[in-house]
Amino acid sequence: IEAAMRRFLAFTDARTSPWVQALKSKKDGKASEALDKADKMGEAYLLYISNYYHQLAQKTEEETKDAEKAKTYYGKAVADYEEFMRRWPNAKKTYVVSFYAAEIYYDFLKDFDKARKAYERTIRLDPEGEFLEDAALGVIYSTEELMRNKRACWLDKDQKWVERPDCPPLVASVAGDGVKVTKFKTAKKEELTEEQIKGANLPKQRQELHELEKSYVAAADKYVELMEKSKEGCAKGNKKLCGKGKKVPEIMYLAASAYYDRGQYKEEIGGYERVYKYQEDNKVAEIAVKTLIDIYARLKEWPKIEEWAELMLKRKSRLILDAKDLKKYVAVSVAEQAKELADKKDYDGAHAKYDKILARFKQEEPELAAVALYNKGLIYELQQQDKTAIDTYARVVKEFPKSKVAQEA
């Protein structure tokens, strides 16, 4: 039966069939009717054959667990699906066929470049279709797999990418796997240290995104765009567009994270702020804030750390950010601002910052408060106010006898 169907398909293929060309040249009703009937039969035959091999592949994989044997059938199915779309690009079934082809390329043939293109084609065929979200995510996942298999190094001297076997995979530059966002907290609570907050790492040297990374970000942005349009469509009464876009915060986060390893802080900061503003009560939004604080620590922008930590402290509930850690962020960032003011000889401004730490954190963070008071003593020395300096050091010993700076005071 299959052989007969394929002979018919070849006989009616407009590219090579003398019969089709002959009927087209007649331009009469009977010729058009014959061509139309042959076209519909061919469409049904090829759809039947492709579906047969698709189902046979699934059955083979399920029953025999022989992935290679099933792969042969998947290959036949996808080849027929592609031929179907070539011959009937505007057919009603073309949309579904395109998605099926994309899934085969991704899941079974592991041809991620073809999968990406097939998912993109599915979206173009119907931007409000049944498989819209799956296809949009498919573009992201396919691109990520391409990055996983692409080894490339950035050459600072030449300011360009080179591809070599000894280079790391590009996927290392994305902070996540699919939409499994990296967790910042472990099951066991570990208190943040001052050095962790201040960030020992220097700002990363800026690098350009690799072309695949650019594609990854573009795919993530496209997903967000499509899901926002779906939300609008749902609000207007299109029920088939409702319930989509639950992964938007994660995808926004991953798009911003693509810039992180490349030291592109301006783009990255805007991306993480966008995540937070989109859905403040989402876990990923808090992860974005945590990452923002890390970036600002690298850039030594202490007022921004204070601003974000204070913002999160005002929240009635938080999912991952601990109040004690947030308060420590505030204390350390204010102390760093005080040091900067002292370096500029703005001693009054520095005293005001240290007084803020003392007033707020004497009970909660005594070590930080002790250091703040000790530093006030140092500033009094610089101001040549020796008696006040001595009195201040005495306060450190009296009020914070167990602190690390007590002995030095």
Side-chain angles (χ1 to χ4, degrees):
I1 295 174
E2 180 189 346
M5 288 180 173
R6 290 194 183 280
R7 283 195 297 271
F8 180 84
L9 286 165
F11 180 73
T12 58
D13 190 339
R15 296 177 302 175
T16 57
S17 172
W19 178 76
V20 172
Q21 297 302 322
L23 288 182
K24 281 185 175 181
S25 65
K26 290 185 178 181
K27 297 181 180 180
D28 58 42
K30 288 185 177 181
S32 296
E33 184 179 347
L35 285 171
D36 185 57
K37 185 176 181 180
D39 190 64
K40 290 180 180 177
M41 287 177 64
E43 180 183 337
Y45 286 167
L46 190 52
L47 188 62
Y48 174 84
I49 295 171
S50 55
N51 280 338
Y52 168 77
Y53 278 111
H54 195 168
Q55 292 172 16
L56 181 60
Q58 292 172 325
K59 184 178 180 181
T60 300
E61 187 175 31
E62 182 179 345
E63 293 180 355
T64 69
K65 310 301 180 184
D66 188 338
E68 283 304 310
K69 188 174 182 180
K71 188 176 180 179
T72 300
Y73 296 137
Y74 279 122
K76 289 185 176 182
V78 81
D80 286 332
Y81 281 146
E82 291 291 357
E83 176 64 7
F84 182 94
M85 289 182 282
R86 183 192 69 78
R87 291 184 65 166
W88 295 281
N90 300 315
K92 185 177 180 180
K93 293 289 185 179
T94 298
Y95 175 75
V96 175
V97 165
S98 178
F99 183 72
Y100 286 169
E103 294 281 272
I104 290 174
Y105 284 133
Y106 184 90
D107 289 321
F108 307 106
L109 301 184
K110 307 301 180 184
D111 190 331
F112 300 114
D113 188 47
K114 287 185 178 179
R116 177 176 61 168
K117 293 173 182 176
Y119 284 126
E120 289 173 338
R121 175 181 58 203
T122 302
I123 294 170
R124 289 195 303 271
L125 285 168
D126 188 354
E128 295 183 355
E130 175 186 359
F131 304 112
L132 174 63
E133 184 165 16
D134 289 332
L137 288 171
V139 178
I140 296 171
Y141 298 153
S142 298
T143 307
E144 184 178 34
E145 290 298 333
L146 289 171
M147 292 165 63
R148 194 184 305 281
N149 295 309
K150 179 70 69 177
R151 291 184 172 275
C153 297
W154 172 259
L155 300 182
D156 289 328
K157 181 179 178 181
D158 300 323
Q159 291 290 292
K160 68 177 184 179
W161 286 96
V162 294
E163 296 175 8
R164 298 195 309 255
D166 60 319
C167 293
L170 285 172
V171 76
S173 68
V174 179
D177 183 11
V179 293
K180 298 175 184 176
V181 178
T182 302
K183 293 182 179 179
F184 287 92
K185 298 269 184 188
T186 59
K188 183 180 178 181
K189 177 71 174 76
E190 295 180 359
E191 187 174 333
L192 284 171
T193 66
E194 182 177 353
E195 285 306 312
Q196 284 176 322
I197 295 173
K198 288 161 65 174
N201 294 324
L202 295 173
K204 299 176 182 179
Q205 187 171 355
R206 183 184 174 90
Q207 302 172 353
E208 293 302 316
L209 295 183
H210 187 277
E211 287 304 313
L212 279 175
E213 292 175 328
K214 292 178 183 178
S215 296
Y216 185 88
V217 172
D221 288 344
K222 185 65 175 179
Y223 170 82
V224 174
E225 175 193 330
L226 290 169
M227 294 306 99
E228 287 299 282
K229 287 183 179 178
S230 293
K231 187 188 294 184
E232 293 172 5
C234 175
K236 293 178 181 177
N238 190 342
K239 293 184 179 180
K240 73 175 184 178
L241 295 177
C242 297
K244 298 183 184 297
K246 293 180 181 179
K247 296 183 184 298
V248 165
E250 290 99 322
I251 298 302
M252 281 183 170
Y253 179 89
L254 292 175
S257 295
Y259 293 103
Y260 185 80
D261 235 21
R262 304 298 169 226
Q264 296 193 26
Y265 293 117
K266 181 179 179 181
E267 296 85 347
E268 182 184 359
I269 287 170
Y272 288 132
E273 288 180 344
R274 185 182 174 203
V275 174
Y276 180 78
K277 292 175 183 177
Y278 182 84
Q279 191 176 348
E280 295 180 7
D281 59 351
N282 188 288
K283 181 179 180 180
V284 181
E286 289 193 31
I287 295 175
V289 171
K290 176 67 176 66
T291 311
L292 277 170
I293 290 173
D294 172 76
I295 296 166
Y296 285 127
R298 291 174 183 272
L299 298 175
K300 309 302 179 188
E301 294 189 17
W302 309 112
K304 297 299 293 186
I305 294 177
E306 181 185 4
E307 176 187 333
W308 277 100
E310 292 283 22
L311 177 65
M312 294 307 297
L313 280 169
K314 291 177 182 177
R315 292 273 300 275
K316 292 182 179 179
S317 62
R318 291 174 299 277
L319 298 170
I320 63 169
L321 290 173
D322 183 75
K324 186 176 179 64
D325 288 347
L326 289 169
K327 289 174 182 177
K328 189 169 285 189
Y329 283 135
V330 173
V332 172
S333 62
V334 172
E336 291 300 313
Q337 292 175 65
K339 289 179 183 178
E340 290 178 351
L341 289 169
D343 289 341
K344 296 175 183 177
K345 301 188 185 305
D346 182 356
Y347 299 128
D348 289 342
H351 279 304
K353 292 292 185 182
Y354 285 130
D355 286 340
K356 182 177 181 180
I357 295 173
L358 282 166
R360 186 168 178 182
F361 298 108
K362 186 174 182 178
Q363 301 300 323
E364 297 177 356
E365 296 291 342
E367 188 64 39
L368 291 174
V371 172
L373 187 57
Y374 179 82
N375 286 339
K376 281 177 66 67
L378 292 176
I379 293 174
Y380 284 128
E381 283 193 65
L382 292 172
Q383 292 177 290
Q384 297 182 341
Q385 297 181 27
D386 294 339
K387 185 177 184 309
T388 306
I390 292 171
D391 291 343
T392 303
Y393 291 138
R395 282 184 60 195
V396 173
V397 176
K398 181 180 179 181
E399 297 176 25
F400 305 100
K402 296 181 179 181
S403 68
K404 294 178 182 178
V405 293
Q407 186 174 357
E408 191 171 349

